[in-house]
Amino acid sequence: MVSELYREYHRPLLAFVVRLTWGDVQWAEDVVQETMLRAWRSADQFDSEAPSLMPWLATVARRIVIDDQRRRDVRPHEADEGPLESVPMPDQMEGLLHQVVVSDALTSLSPAHREILNETILRDRSVNEAAELLGIPVGTVKSRVYYALRALRVALEERGVTA
Protein backbone atom coordinates (compact mmCIF):
# COMPACT_ATOMS: atom_id res chain seq x y z
CA MET A 1 0.00 0.00 0.00
CA VAL A 2 2.64 2.54 1.07
CA SER A 3 5.00 1.77 -1.82
CA GLU A 4 2.11 2.14 -4.30
CA LEU A 5 1.09 5.40 -2.65
CA TYR A 6 4.66 6.66 -2.84
CA ARG A 7 5.11 5.68 -6.49
CA GLU A 8 1.86 7.30 -7.54
CA TYR A 9 1.92 10.51 -5.53
CA HIS A 10 5.57 11.30 -4.72
CA ARG A 11 6.34 13.43 -7.78
CA PRO A 12 3.14 15.52 -7.92
CA LEU A 13 3.18 15.98 -4.15
CA LEU A 14 6.85 17.00 -4.17
CA ALA A 15 6.21 19.54 -6.95
CA PHE A 16 3.34 20.98 -4.91
CA VAL A 17 5.35 21.13 -1.68
CA VAL A 18 8.41 22.71 -3.33
CA ARG A 19 6.19 25.66 -4.18
CA LEU A 20 4.93 25.79 -0.59
CA THR A 21 8.51 25.79 0.75
CA TRP A 22 9.66 28.56 -1.61
CA GLY A 23 11.95 26.24 -3.56
CA ASP A 24 13.60 24.57 -0.56
CA VAL A 25 13.83 21.02 -1.97
CA GLN A 26 15.33 19.50 1.19
CA TRP A 27 12.50 20.85 3.33
CA ALA A 28 9.98 19.74 0.69
CA GLU A 29 11.39 16.18 0.75
CA ASP A 30 11.03 16.11 4.54
CA VAL A 31 7.43 17.30 4.27
CA VAL A 32 6.62 14.66 1.62
CA GLN A 33 8.10 11.93 3.81
CA GLU A 34 6.10 13.09 6.82
CA THR A 35 2.97 13.26 4.67
CA MET A 36 3.51 9.70 3.44
CA LEU A 37 4.08 8.53 7.00
CA ARG A 38 0.80 10.11 8.10
CA ALA A 39 -0.95 8.53 5.10
CA TRP A 40 0.41 5.13 6.11
CA ARG A 41 -0.82 5.64 9.70
CA SER A 42 -4.26 6.65 8.42
CA ALA A 43 -4.54 4.03 5.67
CA ASP A 44 -7.54 2.37 7.28
CA GLN A 45 -9.50 5.65 7.08
CA PHE A 46 -9.17 6.18 3.31
CA ASP A 47 -12.16 5.80 1.04
CA SER A 48 -11.22 3.08 -1.45
CA GLU A 49 -13.76 4.54 -3.89
CA ALA A 50 -12.05 7.97 -3.96
CA PRO A 51 -10.59 8.76 -7.40
CA SER A 52 -7.47 10.36 -5.93
CA LEU A 53 -5.73 10.83 -2.59
CA MET A 54 -3.94 13.95 -3.82
CA PRO A 55 -6.37 16.44 -2.21
CA TRP A 56 -5.93 14.75 1.18
CA LEU A 57 -2.15 14.50 0.77
CA ALA A 58 -1.90 18.13 -0.33
CA THR A 59 -3.91 19.29 2.69
CA VAL A 60 -1.74 17.28 5.08
CA ALA A 61 1.45 18.55 3.43
CA ARG A 62 0.24 22.14 3.57
CA ARG A 63 -0.50 21.79 7.29
CA ILE A 64 2.95 20.31 7.90
CA VAL A 65 4.59 23.26 6.12
CA ILE A 66 2.53 25.73 8.16
CA ASP A 67 3.43 23.95 11.41
CA ASP A 68 7.13 23.85 10.46
CA GLN A 69 7.09 27.55 9.64
CA ARG A 70 5.39 28.40 12.92
CA ARG A 71 7.97 26.35 14.81
CA ARG A 72 10.80 28.13 13.00
CA ASP A 73 9.28 31.55 13.67
CA VAL A 74 8.95 30.86 17.41
CA ARG A 75 12.48 29.60 17.93
CA PRO A 76 15.27 32.15 18.27
CA HIS A 77 17.90 31.96 15.57
CA GLU A 78 20.85 29.89 16.69
CA ALA A 79 24.27 31.45 16.79
CA ASP A 80 27.49 29.53 16.32
CA GLU A 81 29.76 29.52 19.33
CA GLY A 82 32.91 29.63 17.21
CA PRO A 83 35.17 32.68 17.18
CA LEU A 84 34.27 35.53 14.89
CA GLU A 85 37.64 35.22 13.15
CA SER A 86 36.40 32.07 11.44
CA VAL A 87 33.42 33.83 9.87
CA PRO A 88 34.06 33.99 6.12
CA MET A 89 34.19 37.49 4.70
CA PRO A 90 32.99 38.22 1.19
CA ASP A 91 35.77 38.64 -1.31
CA GLN A 92 36.05 42.29 -2.35
CA MET A 93 38.17 41.50 -5.40
CA GLU A 94 35.29 41.14 -7.87
CA GLY A 95 33.82 44.52 -6.92
CA LEU A 96 37.24 46.11 -7.23
CA LEU A 97 37.73 44.58 -10.69
CA HIS A 98 34.35 45.92 -11.81
CA GLN A 99 35.34 49.40 -10.63
CA VAL A 100 38.62 49.21 -12.55
CA VAL A 101 36.91 48.04 -15.75
CA VAL A 102 34.21 50.74 -15.54
CA SER A 103 36.81 53.43 -14.82
CA ASP A 104 38.84 52.28 -17.80
CA ALA A 105 35.75 52.28 -20.01
CA LEU A 106 34.86 55.80 -18.86
CA THR A 107 38.31 57.09 -19.85
CA SER A 108 37.69 55.87 -23.39
CA LEU A 109 34.67 58.19 -23.75
CA SER A 110 34.87 61.70 -25.12
CA PRO A 111 35.32 64.48 -22.54
CA ALA A 112 31.74 65.70 -23.14
CA HIS A 113 30.32 62.22 -22.54
CA ARG A 114 32.43 61.69 -19.41
CA GLU A 115 31.36 65.08 -18.09
CA ILE A 116 27.64 64.47 -18.66
CA LEU A 117 27.73 61.00 -17.04
CA ASN A 118 29.73 62.40 -14.14
CA GLU A 119 27.12 65.09 -13.48
CA THR A 120 23.93 63.07 -14.07
CA ILE A 121 24.82 59.59 -12.86
CA LEU A 122 27.81 59.81 -10.55
CA ARG A 123 26.72 63.03 -8.84
CA ASP A 124 23.03 62.16 -9.15
CA ARG A 125 21.96 65.48 -10.61
CA SER A 126 18.76 65.92 -12.55
CA VAL A 127 18.81 66.81 -16.23
CA ASN A 128 17.78 70.36 -15.38
CA GLU A 129 20.48 70.72 -12.71
CA ALA A 130 23.16 69.37 -15.05
CA ALA A 131 22.01 71.72 -17.84
CA GLU A 132 22.18 74.72 -15.55
CA LEU A 133 25.56 73.74 -14.11
CA LEU A 134 27.13 73.05 -17.51
CA GLY A 135 25.43 75.98 -19.25
CA ILE A 136 23.86 73.89 -22.01
CA PRO A 137 20.23 73.28 -23.02
CA VAL A 138 18.23 70.48 -21.36
CA GLY A 139 17.78 68.74 -24.72
CA THR A 140 21.53 68.65 -25.21
CA VAL A 141 21.95 67.06 -21.77
CA LYS A 142 19.39 64.38 -22.62
CA SER A 143 21.02 63.70 -25.98
CA ARG A 144 24.52 63.49 -24.49
CA VAL A 145 23.38 61.14 -21.73
CA TYR A 146 21.76 58.86 -24.29
CA TYR A 147 24.82 58.73 -26.55
CA ALA A 148 27.25 58.56 -23.63
CA LEU A 149 25.46 55.52 -22.23
CA ARG A 150 25.51 53.85 -25.64
CA ALA A 151 29.24 54.56 -25.96
CA LEU A 152 29.85 53.28 -22.42
CA ARG A 153 27.93 50.07 -23.18
CA VAL A 154 30.11 49.49 -26.27
CA ALA A 155 33.29 50.26 -24.28
CA LEU A 156 32.26 47.80 -21.57
CA GLU A 157 31.40 45.10 -24.13
CA GLU A 158 34.86 45.57 -25.67
CA ARG A 159 36.28 44.85 -22.21
CA GLY A 160 34.23 41.66 -21.85
CA VAL A 161 31.47 43.03 -19.64
CA THR A 162 28.00 41.95 -20.65
CA ALA A 163 24.60 42.65 -19.14
Side-chain angles (χ1 to χ4, degrees):
M1 159 75 182
V2 175
S3 59
E4 291 174 26
L5 184 71
Y6 192 83
R7 266 194 306 274
E8 185 174 347
Y9 294 106
H10 176 261
R11 282 193 173 165
L13 185 59
L14 181 61
F16 172 74
V17 176
V18 165
R19 288 191 301 271
L20 291 178
T21 60
W22 302 281
D24 187 335
V25 178
Q26 184 65 45
W27 182 16
E29 285 283 354
D30 292 343
V31 170
V32 169
Q33 285 183 355
E34 179 64 26
T35 304
M36 293 296 177
L37 184 62
R38 290 185 188 183
W40 176 67
R41 289 179 185 155
S42 304
D44 59 330
Q45 299 173 10
F46 291 137
D47 179 10
S48 59
E49 303 287 320
S52 173
L53 292 177
M54 191 61 192
W56 184 87
L57 293 169
T59 300
V60 171
R62 184 174 162 274
R63 288 180 182 157
I64 292 170
V65 169
I66 290 169
D67 290 345
D68 285 353
Q69 190 60 51
R70 285 179 181 160
R71 253 190 308 283
R72 288 179 182 184
D73 291 345
V74 170
R75 286 186 187 165
H77 293 286
E78 296 176 9
D80 187 11
E81 294 180 14
L84 290 177
E85 297 89 41
S86 67
V87 175
M89 294 299 292
D91 186 7
Q92 304 293 326
M93 187 56 76
E94 191 166 332
L96 181 60
L97 289 174
H98 282 285
Q99 288 177 349
V100 168
V101 170
V102 170
S103 293
D104 184 49
L106 282 170
T107 60
S108 72
L109 300 180
S110 71
H113 286 166
R114 267 196 318 271
E115 180 181 49
I116 205 68
L117 291 179
N118 186 42
E119 295 303 326
T120 56
I121 294 176
L122 298 177
R123 294 194 176 153
D124 198 27
R125 291 197 169 111
S126 70
V127 173
N128 290 336
E129 291 171 336
E132 186 177 323
L133 183 79
L134 298 173
I136 57 177
V138 172
T140 303
V141 171
K142 290 178 182 179
S143 174
R144 282 188 190 167
V145 167
Y146 174 79
Y147 288 107
L149 288 174
R150 282 184 58 185
L152 181 60
R153 183 177 298 118
V154 169
L156 288 170
E157 287 172 356
E158 288 172 353
R159 287 159 178 79
V161 177
T162 57

